[in-house]
Coordinates of all heavy atoms in Angstrom, one line a residue:
Chain A
N22 N 38.7 108.7 145.2 CA 37.9 109.4 144.2 C 36.9 108.4 143.5 O 35.7 108.6 143.4 CB 38.7 110.1 143.1 CG 39.3 111.3 143.7 OD1 38.9 111.9 144.7 ND2 40.4 111.8 143.0
A23 N 37.5 107.2 143.2 CA 36.6 106.2 142.6 C 35.5 105.7 143.5 O 34.4 105.3 143.1 CB 37.5 105.0 142.1
T24 N 35.8 105.6 144.8 CA 34.8 105.2 145.8 C 33.7 106.3 145.8 O 32.5 105.9 145.8 CB 35.5 105.1 147.2 OG1 36.5 104.2 147.1 CG2 34.4 104.7 148.2
K25 N 34.1 107.5 145.8 CA 33.1 108.6 145.8 C 32.2 108.5 144.5 O 31.0 108.9 144.6 CB 33.8 110.0 145.8 CG 34.3 110.3 147.2 CD 34.8 111.7 147.2 CE 35.5 112.0 148.5 NZ 36.3 113.3 148.5
Q26 N 32.8 108.1 143.4 CA 32.0 108.0 142.2 C 31.2 106.7 142.1 O 30.5 106.5 141.1 CB 33.0 108.0 141.0 CG 33.6 109.4 140.7 CD 34.9 109.3 139.9 OE1 35.1 108.3 139.2 NE2 35.7 110.3 140.0
G27 N 31.3 105.9 143.1 CA 30.4 104.7 143.2 C 31.0 103.5 142.4 O 30.3 102.5 142.2
L28 N 32.3 103.6 142.0 CA 32.9 102.5 141.2 C 33.3 101.3 142.1 O 33.4 100.2 141.6 CB 34.1 103.0 140.5 CG 33.9 103.8 139.2 CD1 35.2 104.6 138.9 CD2 33.6 102.9 138.1
L29 N 33.5 101.6 143.4 CA 34.0 100.6 144.3 C 33.1 100.2 145.5 O 32.3 101.0 145.9 CB 35.4 101.0 144.8 CG 36.4 101.5 143.7 CD1 37.7 102.0 144.4 CD2 36.7 100.3 142.8
A30 N 33.3 99.0 146.0 CA 32.5 98.6 147.1 C 33.0 99.3 148.4 O 34.0 99.9 148.4 CB 32.6 97.1 147.3
D31 N 32.1 99.2 149.4 CA 32.4 99.8 150.7 C 33.9 99.5 151.2 O 34.5 100.4 151.7 CB 31.5 99.3 151.8 CG 30.1 99.9 151.7 OD1 30.0 100.9 151.0 OD2 29.2 99.3 152.3
S32 N 34.2 98.3 151.1 CA 35.5 97.9 151.7 C 36.7 98.0 150.8 O 37.8 97.6 151.2 CB 35.3 96.4 152.2 OG 34.9 95.6 151.1
A33 N 36.5 98.6 149.6 CA 37.6 98.7 148.7 C 38.8 99.5 149.3 O 39.9 99.2 149.1 CB 37.1 99.3 147.4
M34 N 38.4 100.6 150.0 CA 39.5 101.4 150.6 C 40.2 100.7 151.6 O 41.4 100.9 151.8 CB 38.8 102.7 151.1 CG 38.4 103.7 150.0 SD 38.5 105.4 150.5 CE 37.0 105.5 151.5
I35 N 39.5 99.9 152.4 CA 40.2 99.1 153.4 C 41.2 98.1 152.7 O 42.3 97.9 153.2 CB 39.2 98.4 154.3 CG1 38.5 99.5 155.2 CG2 39.9 97.4 155.2 CD1 37.5 99.0 156.1
A36 N 40.7 97.4 151.7 CA 41.6 96.5 151.0 C 42.8 97.2 150.4 O 43.9 96.7 150.5 CB 40.8 95.8 149.8
H37 N 42.6 98.4 149.9 CA 43.7 99.2 149.4 C 44.7 99.5 150.5 O 45.9 99.5 150.3 CB 43.2 100.5 148.7 CG 44.3 101.2 148.1 ND1 44.9 100.8 146.9 CD2 44.9 102.4 148.5 CE1 45.9 101.7 146.6 NE2 45.9 102.6 147.5
G38 N 44.2 99.9 151.6 CA 45.0 100.2 152.8 C 45.9 99.1 153.2 O 47.1 99.2 153.4
R39 N 45.3 97.9 153.2 CA 46.1 96.7 153.5 C 47.2 96.5 152.5 O 48.3 96.3 152.8 CB 45.2 95.4 153.4 CG 44.4 95.2 154.7 CD 43.9 93.7 154.8 NE 43.2 93.3 153.6 CZ 41.9 93.5 153.3 NH1 41.2 94.2 154.2 NH2 41.4 93.0 152.2
G40 N 46.8 96.7 151.2 CA 47.9 96.6 150.2 C 49.0 97.6 150.4 O 50.2 97.3 150.2
E41 N 48.6 98.8 150.7 CA 49.6 99.9 151.0 C 50.6 99.5 152.0 O 51.8 99.7 151.9 CB 48.9 101.2 151.5 CG 48.5 102.1 150.5 CD 48.0 103.5 151.1 OE1 48.2 103.6 152.3 OE2 47.5 104.3 150.4
A42 N 50.1 98.9 153.1 CA 51.0 98.5 154.2 C 52.0 97.4 153.7 O 53.2 97.5 154.0 CB 50.2 97.9 155.3
F43 N 51.5 96.4 153.0 CA 52.4 95.4 152.5 C 53.4 95.9 151.5 O 54.6 95.6 151.5 CB 51.6 94.2 151.8 CG 51.0 93.3 152.9 CD1 49.6 93.3 153.1 CD2 51.8 92.5 153.7 CE1 49.0 92.5 154.0 CE2 51.2 91.7 154.6 CZ 49.8 91.7 154.8
D44 N 52.9 96.9 150.6 CA 53.8 97.4 149.6 C 54.9 98.3 150.3 O 56.1 98.3 149.9 CB 53.0 98.3 148.7 CG 53.8 98.5 147.3 OD1 54.7 97.6 147.1 OD2 53.5 99.4 146.6
Y45 N 54.5 99.0 151.4 CA 55.4 99.7 152.2 C 56.6 98.8 152.7 O 57.7 99.1 152.6 CB 54.7 100.3 153.4 CG 55.4 101.3 154.3 CD1 55.1 102.6 154.1 CD2 56.2 100.9 155.3 CE1 55.7 103.6 154.9 CE2 56.8 101.8 156.1 CZ 56.6 103.1 155.9 OH 57.2 104.1 156.7
L46 N 56.2 97.6 153.1 CA 57.2 96.7 153.6 C 58.0 96.1 152.5 O 59.1 95.6 152.7 CB 56.5 95.5 154.4 CG 55.8 95.9 155.7 CD1 55.0 94.8 156.3 CD2 56.9 96.3 156.7
L47 N 57.5 96.1 151.3 CA 58.3 95.7 150.1 C 59.2 96.8 149.6 O 59.8 96.6 148.6 CB 57.4 95.2 149.0 CG 56.7 93.9 149.2 CD1 55.6 93.7 148.1 CD2 57.7 92.7 149.1
G48 N 59.1 98.0 150.3 CA 59.9 99.1 149.8 C 59.3 99.7 148.6 O 59.9 100.5 147.8
E49 N 58.0 99.4 148.3 CA 57.3 100.0 147.1 C 58.0 99.8 145.8 O 58.0 100.7 145.0 CB 56.9 101.5 147.4 CG 55.9 101.6 148.5 CD 55.5 103.0 149.0 OE1 56.2 103.9 148.5 OE2 54.6 103.1 149.9
K50 N 58.7 98.7 145.7 CA 59.3 98.4 144.4 C 59.1 96.9 144.1 O 58.9 96.1 145.0 CB 60.7 98.8 144.3 CG 61.6 98.3 145.4 CD 63.1 98.8 145.1 CE 64.1 98.0 145.9 NZ 64.4 98.7 147.1
T51 N 59.2 96.6 142.8 CA 59.1 95.2 142.4 C 60.3 94.4 142.7 O 61.4 94.7 142.3 CB 58.8 95.1 140.9 OG1 57.7 96.0 140.6 CG2 58.5 93.7 140.4
S52 N 60.2 93.4 143.5 CA 61.3 92.6 144.0 C 61.8 91.7 142.8 O 61.1 91.4 141.9 CB 60.9 91.7 145.2 OG 60.0 90.7 144.8
E53 N 63.0 91.1 143.0 CA 63.5 90.1 142.0 C 62.6 88.9 141.8 O 62.3 88.5 140.7 CB 64.9 89.7 142.4 CG 66.0 90.8 142.2 CD 65.9 91.5 140.8 OE1 65.9 90.7 139.8 OE2 65.9 92.7 140.7
I54 N 62.1 88.4 143.0 CA 61.2 87.3 142.9 C 59.9 87.6 142.2 O 59.3 86.8 141.5 CB 61.0 86.6 144.3 CG1 60.1 85.3 144.1 CG2 60.4 87.5 145.3 CD1 60.8 84.2 143.3
A55 N 59.4 88.9 142.4 CA 58.2 89.3 141.8 C 58.4 89.3 140.3 O 57.6 88.9 139.5 CB 57.7 90.6 142.3
K56 N 59.6 89.8 139.8 CA 59.9 89.9 138.4 C 59.8 88.5 137.8 O 59.3 88.3 136.7 CB 61.3 90.5 138.2 CG 61.3 92.0 138.3 CD 62.7 92.6 138.1 CE 62.7 94.0 138.6 NZ 64.1 94.5 138.7

Side-chain angles (χ1 to χ4, degrees):
Chain A
N22 290 339
T24 302
K25 286 188 185 163
Q26 289 160 22
L28 283 161
L29 304 178
D31 283 344
S32 53
M34 288 210 280
I35 292 179
H37 184 74
R39 280 201 305 279
E41 270 190 8
F43 284 108
D44 203 20
Y45 191 99
L46 291 171
L47 285 167
E49 291 173 358
K50 58 176 192 263
T51 305
S52 66
E53 289 307 312
I54 182 65
K56 282 180 196 167

